[in-house]
Amino acid sequence: MTSPIIQIRGVSKSYRRDSMAIPVLRAITLDVPEGEFIALMGPSGSGKTTLLNLIAGIDRPNEGSVTVGGTDVARLGESDLAKWRARHIGFVFQFYNLLPVLTAYENVELPLLLTSLSKTERKQHVEAALSLVGLADRLHHYPRQLSGGQEQRVAIARAIAADPTILVADEPTGDLDRQSADEVLTLLERLNREFHKTIVMVTHDPHAAERAHAIRHLDKGELQ
Amino acid sequence: MSIFKIVLRNAFRHRLRTALTILGIATAVMAFGLIRTVVTAWNAGVEASAANRMITRHRVSIIFPVPLTDREQIARVPGVTGLSWANWFGGVYGDPNDFKNFWPRFAVDAETYFGLYPEFIIPPDQLEAFRKERSACILGRKVATDHGFKLGDVVTLEGDIYPGPWQFVVRAIYTGRDPAVDETQMFFHWDYLYEQVKQREPGRVTEAGFFVMRVDRPDDMSQVAAAIDTMFSNSRAPTKTESEREFQQSFVSMSNAIITSLKVVSLVIIGIILLVLANTILMAARERTREYAVLKTLGFQARHIAGFIIGESLLIALCGGLLGLALTFPVVRAFGMALRGFFPIIRVEPTTIALALCAALLAGLAAAALPTLRAIRTPIVAGLRMIG
């Protein structure tokens, strides 16, 4: 069996609202093997996105440990954590979150600005990523000139441009029509199958979840 | 793509807002530049003072004359290497309400005065012609140009301190040795004034308005001043002797309240620049809270986010500052033309340019401080939840 690339042990997370602590995750333990495509499902407020954020290193647990690729993420300082994210995590958002002032090419190039790649090497990476998502002919289009499905594909290209180990996707099809959603899911499947990317996807859409190899359900902050 | 390109695109994302901000900063910088220039012009006489010249005048006020015979005793004071005298003439040329018609007029000793003022460049043949003719005068280049006076023309003044019509023939036109020299003065023979007053007002005594001395060592000025003033302390016209710089400063200090007010206004203007810019940057940074969170998710660190916000603020401030400075030059020129009688030397000094740019850039830095702090401190998760 493949060793787990993500190891979550006894993770709890709560948020404070005024003086009240609101528990979101309770003693979560989860292993995600390398090369896995896993879907996290559950009703609103079940803690799916919080768990995803912890795996991506953009939030910290109150208790427990999140180890990704052998690194205990919660122990890293802010600066190291940012560098770690740049190297290991590709994030796909529900609402794409492309920078409106940058073209598709420039949006995909963004994470590469943090690497030591030369301009020519960056160009190769960007063109390869945009070709992979089928947008080689939209390099110089601004987000406002693209459809929702195309924007999400640019966002996926941005997520994979720096060749991260893990892709985390938060409701990647939540804002798309069925056809665009299918295209995006097919793309994620392909990234998992051909490029061996480990993918953790949060969704409440059963059709989307069916594309994953494994589905885990969360309810009231607990894994079922 | 470079980080600067992102800063540039962000700065001009809302073109109208950025353009209005730049225009606001430019207007403030222009006002700052104009005020600083006026303050500098006010002090121009002080700055142009020679380090080795001294002035002796009546102790009570410059309006009281000093006996011309004092010059012999003053000339013997150790350290004094040159001496001359002059009188403020005043007078009116043409329409007194037109600022253009006001320029300083002095009756001077033709033989000695210009030897003490090497900064007035007078062609030797013209100076010679001036010395030979009692009713001749020397005009500054700016006065001659503004009024179209040429050599040989007659300038007619209506006297006020010395009543009656006065006519002078232009025999020389001086230019300044450097741009700091006032080229709006007029000089004529003190002897001519003396003779004319004697004829026109037989009972009136004409004496010297003030003495000008050159000293060989500026360090000795206090001893020279003390020696002269002690000499005349019990005379009918006790004197006050000071360096030319102090003499000029005493005129400027009469307007100290105005100058201080102008300086305060210039500080207020820096505050206005800061508020205009801070408003824009705060709005921009707030609108982009989600984008900054996305950038952090991609691996951008606090220093990158700070770079984006501070860079944008500085870029807008710099654009406003440069546009404001570009506007300052024609505005100062027009202001100087309109009030040339009051500000014979008015120009935008390099210090003013540097101050205006520094003020704009400092405001740029200060305006970015709070939004930068907010953007850095906002947790990624909270930032991603922001709508807008």
Side-chain angles (χ1 to χ4, degrees):
Chain A
M1 184 180 169
T2 319
S3 62
I5 191 166
I6 303 169
Q7 289 182 308
I8 298 171
R9 295 285 176 270
V11 162
S12 294
K13 176 74 183 175
S14 60
Y15 290 110
R16 297 202 75 81
R17 187 167 296 162
D18 299 324
S19 58
M20 277 178 60
I22 301 167
V24 181
L25 294 175
R26 300 165 201 264
I28 299 284
T29 293
L30 174 70
D31 283 347
V32 179
E34 190 167 3
E36 182 66 287
F37 183 176
I38 184 174
L40 293 174
M41 291 194 76
S44 290
S46 59
K48 311 181 293 288
T49 297
T50 302
L51 183 57
L52 195 75
N53 290 343
L54 293 175
I55 293 169
I58 61 175
D59 205 354
R60 293 171 189 274
N62 298 119
E63 283 176 42
S65 66
V66 178
T67 308
V68 181
T71 305
D72 187 346
V73 179
R75 288 181 184 275
L76 294 176
E78 283 303 321
S79 175
D80 289 336
L81 194 57
K83 286 178 194 160
W84 178 84
R85 277 197 303 271
R87 177 69 195 89
H88 295 284
I89 301 292
F91 211 111
V92 181
F93 303 92
Q94 179 180 355
F95 297 110
Y96 335 126
N97 285 334
L98 300 176
L99 265 62
V101 288
L102 303 182
T103 61
Y105 180 99
E106 290 163 342
N107 266 290
V108 176
E109 193 186 8
L110 259 181
L112 300 178
L113 295 177
L114 300 170
T115 66
S116 55
L117 294 176
S118 67
K119 192 177 175 185
T120 313
E121 289 168 326
R122 289 205 304 268
K123 187 169 186 278
Q124 287 167 354
H125 276 66
V126 173
E127 287 175 353
L130 281 167
S131 293
L132 188 67
V133 300
L135 290 173
D137 57 341
R138 295 283 190 276
L139 296 183
H140 303 297
H141 283 61
Y142 286 92
R144 65 176 180 277
Q145 298 167 323
L146 300 171
S147 68
Q150 288 172 329
E151 278 195 76
Q152 191 61 299
R153 282 191 277 153
V154 173
I156 292 172
R158 180 178 67 184
I160 60 172
D163 195 22
T165 326
I166 298 164
L167 280 183
V168 291
D170 189 2
E171 303 275 13
T173 59
D175 199 43
L176 299 176
D177 58 51
R178 176 49 55 198
Q179 190 191 336
S180 300
D182 280 341
E183 285 171 7
V184 165
L185 290 167
T186 303
L187 188 56
L188 290 176
E189 271 183 317
R190 193 178 160 209
L191 289 170
N192 173 250
R193 193 176 59 245
E194 294 178 22
F195 297 91
H196 312 294
K197 298 293 175 196
T198 304
I199 301 177
V200 182
M201 176 176 72
V202 161
T203 183
H204 63 271
D205 178 4
H207 292 292
E210 278 172 13
R211 302 288 194 101
H213 302 159
I215 302 174
R216 298 302 303 265
H217 288 271
L218 270 162
D219 191 19
K220 292 176 183 167
E222 292 177 0
L223 268 178
Q224 303 298 299
Chain B
M1 184 177 60
S2 65
I3 297 286
F4 178 72
K5 195 171 180 180
I6 302 173
V7 169
L8 192 66
R9 296 265 183 91
N10 274 336
F12 293 94
R13 187 184 287 201
H14 294 284
R15 286 183 189 167
L16 181 62
R17 185 167 75 191
T18 304
L20 288 174
T21 305
I22 289 175
L23 210 59
I25 296 169
T27 309
V29 166
M30 184 201 66
F32 178 86
L34 178 61
I35 288 174
R36 299 298 310 188
T37 300
V38 168
V39 171
T40 310
W42 220 299
N43 286 303
V46 178
E47 297 306 321
S49 306
N52 64 345
R53 276 197 301 259
M54 300 185 77
I55 306 287
T56 293
R57 60 172 174 88
H58 196 287
R59 191 165 71 195
V60 176
S61 167
I62 184 76
I63 65 167
F64 295 109
V66 282
L68 188 59
T69 48
D70 288 357
R71 69 182 191 276
E72 286 151 20
Q73 285 171 273
I74 293 173
R76 284 198 294 271
V77 171
V80 174
T81 57
L83 182 134
S84 188
W85 63 95
N87 279 56
W88 171 261
F89 178 76
V92 175
Y93 175 79
D95 177 5
N97 294 319
D98 187 349
F99 288 134
K100 190 181 162 189
N101 291 337
F102 173 80
W103 66 83
R105 296 142 194 152
F106 294 95
V108 301
D109 178 52
E111 294 305 318
T112 55
Y113 192 80
F114 297 101
L116 299 182
Y117 289 87
E119 62 264 44
F120 298 143
I121 309 296
I122 308 168
D125 57 325
Q126 292 183 20
L127 182 60
E128 195 53 37
F130 165 74
R131 282 177 172 154
K132 281 181 182 164
E133 190 173 339
R134 278 288 166 101
S135 61
C137 73
I138 298 178
L139 290 178
R141 183 190 58 83
K142 278 186 188 167
V143 177
T145 307
D146 286 350
H147 295 274
F149 291 133
K150 300 182 297 293
L151 296 179
D153 284 355
V154 173
V155 179
T156 305
L157 301 176
E158 186 60 37
D160 39 23
I161 302 170
Y162 305 96
W166 294 76
Q167 289 194 325
F168 305 96
V169 183
V170 181
R171 289 297 174 209
I173 292 171
Y174 78 85
T175 51
R177 187 180 52 193
D178 56 70
V181 176
D182 181 2
E183 291 180 334
T184 67
Q185 300 185 55
M186 172 182 172
F187 304 101
F188 60 90
H189 290 257
W190 187 89
D191 291 345
Y192 181 62
L193 176 73
Y194 178 80
E195 287 166 10
Q196 288 294 314
V197 171
K198 215 170 168 183
Q199 282 177 23
R200 298 179 190 199
E201 301 173 76
R204 184 171 175 177
V205 178
T206 303
E207 294 179 303
F210 55 91
F211 293 108
V212 185
M213 291 86 67
R214 184 179 56 225
V215 292
D216 56 356
R217 282 162 44 107
D219 289 347
D220 294 341
M221 277 189 177
S222 55
Q223 289 100 303
V224 171
I228 294 171
D229 292 343
T230 306
M231 202 182 291
F232 302 110
S233 60
N234 292 318
S235 70
R236 67 177 173 87
T239 58
K240 180 174 182 181
T241 305
E242 56 200 342
S243 67
E244 187 181 66
R245 187 180 182 83
E246 287 168 332
F247 178 73
Q248 295 284 4
Q249 188 74 55
S250 67
F251 285 101
V252 175
S253 63
M254 291 175 197
S255 318
N256 258 352
I258 297 171
I259 293 173
T260 307
S261 307
L262 287 175
K263 284 179 178 171
V264 170
V265 171
S266 70
L267 288 178
V268 170
I269 287 171
I270 295 173
I272 292 170
I273 299 173
L274 177 61
L275 289 177
V276 169
L277 190 54
N279 185 46
T280 296
I281 299 300
L282 264 174
M283 270 199 287
R286 188 174 168 75
E287 287 163 6
R288 290 177 211 150
T289 304
R290 193 183 173 98
E291 285 176 26
Y292 295 139
V294 171
L295 288 170
K296 286 184 200 171
T297 305
L298 295 178
F300 284 84
Q301 298 177 40
R303 61 189 168 89
H304 297 117
I305 305 296
F308 287 134
I309 300 173
I310 295 170
E312 186 176 340
S313 186
L314 285 178
L315 181 65
I316 294 174
L318 186 66
C319 289
L322 290 176
L323 179 63
L325 278 177
L327 292 172
T328 303
F329 286 91
V331 167
V332 165
R333 201 174 305 126
F335 186 84
M337 289 294 279
L339 295 173
R340 74 189 77 180
F342 290 101
F343 299 110
I345 301 161
I346 185 163
R347 58 193 173 142
V348 185
E349 296 287 340
T351 326
T352 303
I353 296 171
L355 270 177
L357 267 186
C358 283
L361 292 177
L362 273 177
L365 272 181
L370 184 62
T372 301
L373 214 60
R374 273 192 191 165
I376 288 172
R377 285 186 177 170
T378 304
I380 298 177
V381 175
L384 289 174
R385 276 197 223 111
M386 278 286 292
I387 298 167

